[in-house]
Structure formats: structure tokens, C-alpha cells
């Protein structure tokens, strides 16, 4: 009997919406519809979902919020951006937002991006979303993200810079790519930066002539090495 006590306590502490929430994905449409109705009928649902955002069922909680389109919870979700260690808060906020929420999202996302508390998965989601929203970050913040300890965050920062330079018209930001060309960066990051810069007109690469020399060192890929040397020569003219 004593062995059963932890299981009984666990069952008692598990919110009623958890079991049907597990069936929201990978099921037929009629099953999903049935699960949505079961979840919607749970008493105190919104309060329970918010309470679980810091708990073991936070992934399911975000799934439920989006599946039921609980837009009233968007402000609370945005308050969890800096404490969410998964990036799910960003994806849930994106799913629940509308065109009229754009400026609020940009403001909140920028703040979370600048925070030292924000986890790497969330930073990746934030950079991707801000690029899609056409939101300009400060060049200094972009450089900071290019020096982040997480390889994935640096990669996301390069993708954001590509959007800013090529789609948002910030071609004078090419110099901001230079941290990604430094010799202590993984060669994959340097190669990604090289391909980004190869899309720019030569005049926008001239400020990077010295950076290309560092980037070309110890590139294991011959094609990338040739590209780097060509870009460096082009930038020096």
C-alpha cells in the first residue's frame, strides 16, 4: 500500500485537462475535436493552465492554449518569455496574436531578447519571429547575439541579420556580420556568414576586408575557402 501512495498523490495532483491534451496531436480530426470539448469543460481551466506554465506539463499547457485559441491569456504568456526555457511561450504567443498585437509583441520580444535571463531556445524563437515581423533591432544587440555562448543562437542571429540586410534594407549593417567571421567561431558559422555576404554588392563588403583574412584561416571546405578568398579580394579593391 505504501508503494501506491506516490502514484495516488501524483494522480491527484495532475490537472484534469492533461490526459485529453496528450491526444491533441497525432489523432484523427474527430478525436481531436472530442478532446478539445473535454478540455473546454474542465472547471477553472485558464487558472490551471497558467499555474502549470512553470511546471512539468507546461508544454501541454501551451498546446491547450493554442488549440482552444485562448487569446485572453496572451498577456500572461508574454510575461513568461524571460522564464520559459523552451521557446514554447514565443510560439504560443505567435499563434494567439493578431495583426493588432504586432507592436505589443515587438516591444515584449525586444525586451526578452535583451534580458540576460532569457534561455537560448527562447532567444532563437525570438530572433526568428522578430525577423518575420520586420522589426529592427539595434546593431549592438545583433553583435551581442553573434557572440552568445550558444551556437544555435549565433546561427539564429545570422539569419536575422540576413533578413535585416537583404529584406529590411539595412545593407550598411554588413560590418555587423564581422563577429561571425572571427577565427574562434565554428567554421560552420563563418561559412554561413560568408554566404550571406556573398549576396551583397561589392561596395557593401569593403568595410570587411580585414575580417575576411581572419575568416579564411582553417576553413576545412575547399569551396568555402575559395569563396572566402574571392570575397576578400573583392572587398580589398
Amino acid at each position: 500500500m505504501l508503494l501506491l501512495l506516490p502514484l495516488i498523490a501524483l494522480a491527484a495532483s495532475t490537472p484534469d485537462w492533461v490526459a485529453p491534451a496528450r491526444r491533441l496531436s497525432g489523432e484523427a480530426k474527430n478525436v481531436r475535436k472530442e478532446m478539445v470539448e473535454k478540455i473546454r469543460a474542465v472547471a477553472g481551466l485558464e487558472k490551471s493552465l497558467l499555474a502549470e506554465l512553470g511546471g512539468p506539463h507546461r508544454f501541454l499547457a501551451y498546446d491547450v492554449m493554442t488549440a482552444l485559441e485562448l487569446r485572453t491569456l496572451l498577456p500572461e504568456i508574454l510575461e513568461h518569455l524571460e522564464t520559459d526555457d523552451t521557446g514554447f511561450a514565443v510560439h504560443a504567443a505567435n499563434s494567439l496574436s493578431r495583426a493588432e498585437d504586432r507592436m505589443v509583441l515587438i516591444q515584449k520580444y525586444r525586451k526578452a531578447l535583451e534580458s540576460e535571463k532569457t534561455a537560448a531556445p527562447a532567444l532563437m524563437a525570438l530572433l526568428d519571429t522578430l525577423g518575420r515581423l520586420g522589426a529592427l533591432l539595434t546593431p549592438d544587440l545583433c553583435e551581442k547575439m553573434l557572440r552568445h555562448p550558444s551556437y544555435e543562437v549565433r546561427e539564429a542571429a545570422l539569419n536575422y541579420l540576413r533578413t535585416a540586410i537583404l529584406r529590411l534594407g539595412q545593407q550598411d549593417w554588413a560590418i555587423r556580420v564581422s563577429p561571425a567571421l572571427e577565427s574562434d567561431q565554428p567554421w560552420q558559422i563563418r561559412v554561413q556568414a560568408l554566404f550571406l555576404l556573398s549576396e551583397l554588392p561589392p561596395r557593401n563588403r569593403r568595410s570587411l576586408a580585414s575580417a575576411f583574412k581572419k575568416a579564411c584561416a582553417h576553413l576545412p571546405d575547399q569551396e568555402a575557402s575559395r569563396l572566402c578568398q574571392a570575397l576578400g579580394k573583392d572587398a580589398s579593391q
Side-chain angles (χ1 to χ4, degrees):
M1 182 63 183
L2 290 176
L3 293 175
L4 293 176
L5 289 178
L7 295 175
I8 295 172
L10 179 62
S13 63
T14 302
D16 292 340
W17 50 265
V18 168
R22 295 187 191 280
R23 302 184 65 188
L24 288 174
S25 301
E27 297 279 4
K29 288 183 179 180
N30 62 315
V31 176
R32 177 182 169 85
K33 183 178 179 181
E34 181 185 349
M35 294 305 106
V36 166
E37 293 307 316
K38 283 187 176 182
I39 295 169
R40 205 183 295 277
V42 173
L45 176 63
E46 293 190 2
K47 183 178 179 180
S48 177
L49 290 170
L50 291 174
E52 198 59 43
L53 291 185
H57 303 299
R58 60 191 182 280
F59 304 103
L60 289 174
Y62 285 122
D63 278 348
V64 169
M65 290 176 184
T66 56
L68 273 63
E69 299 183 3
L70 300 177
R71 272 183 46 78
T72 55
L73 299 184
L74 180 58
E76 284 79 4
I77 293 173
L78 293 175
E79 293 304 315
H80 281 79
L81 294 174
E82 294 178 35
T83 56
D84 171 43
D85 60 354
T86 65
F88 270 61
V90 180
H91 297 308
N94 291 346
S95 178
L96 292 173
S97 64
R98 301 291 182 266
E100 61 267 25
D101 301 316
R102 180 177 180 274
M103 294 311 299
V104 172
L105 288 186
I106 290 174
Q107 180 186 12
K108 293 287 186 179
Y109 287 177
R110 278 176 177 157
K111 180 176 179 291
L113 198 65
E114 293 169 355
S115 174
E116 299 295 334
K117 300 176 184 177
T118 306
L123 291 175
M124 293 161 55
L126 289 166
L127 285 164
D128 177 68
T129 301
L130 286 165
R132 292 175 188 274
L133 289 173
L136 283 178
L137 303 173
T138 64
D140 289 344
L141 182 56
C142 293
E143 286 196 35
K144 178 183 175 182
M145 292 295 105
L146 284 177
R147 301 181 190 278
H148 193 276
S150 167
Y151 169 89
E152 290 80 5
V153 171
R154 281 177 271 171
E155 189 174 40
L158 269 178
N159 287 333
Y160 172 82
L161 276 169
R162 184 181 187 280
T163 297
I165 294 170
L166 299 179
R167 186 164 68 84
L168 304 181
Q170 304 300 310
Q171 292 195 354
D172 58 335
W173 281 21
I175 188 63
R176 301 296 178 170
V177 180
S178 58
L181 295 173
E182 294 174 358
S183 57
D184 59 348
Q185 290 279 13
W187 71 268
Q188 297 95 329
I189 291 289
R190 283 183 283 158
V191 168
Q192 186 177 345
L194 288 171
F195 279 106
L196 161 58
L197 293 169
S198 71
E199 299 180 72
L200 298 178
R203 65 179 181 277
N204 295 112
R205 297 196 293 264
R206 289 182 185 130
S207 60
L208 291 159
S210 61
F212 282 123
K213 293 179 182 179
K214 298 178 183 178
C216 294
H218 311 299
L219 282 175
D221 184 85
Q222 289 186 354
E223 181 182 352
S225 182
R226 286 195 295 270
L227 172 63
C228 187
Q229 292 169 13
L231 290 175
K233 182 179 179 180
D234 191 33
S236 299
Q237 293 177 353

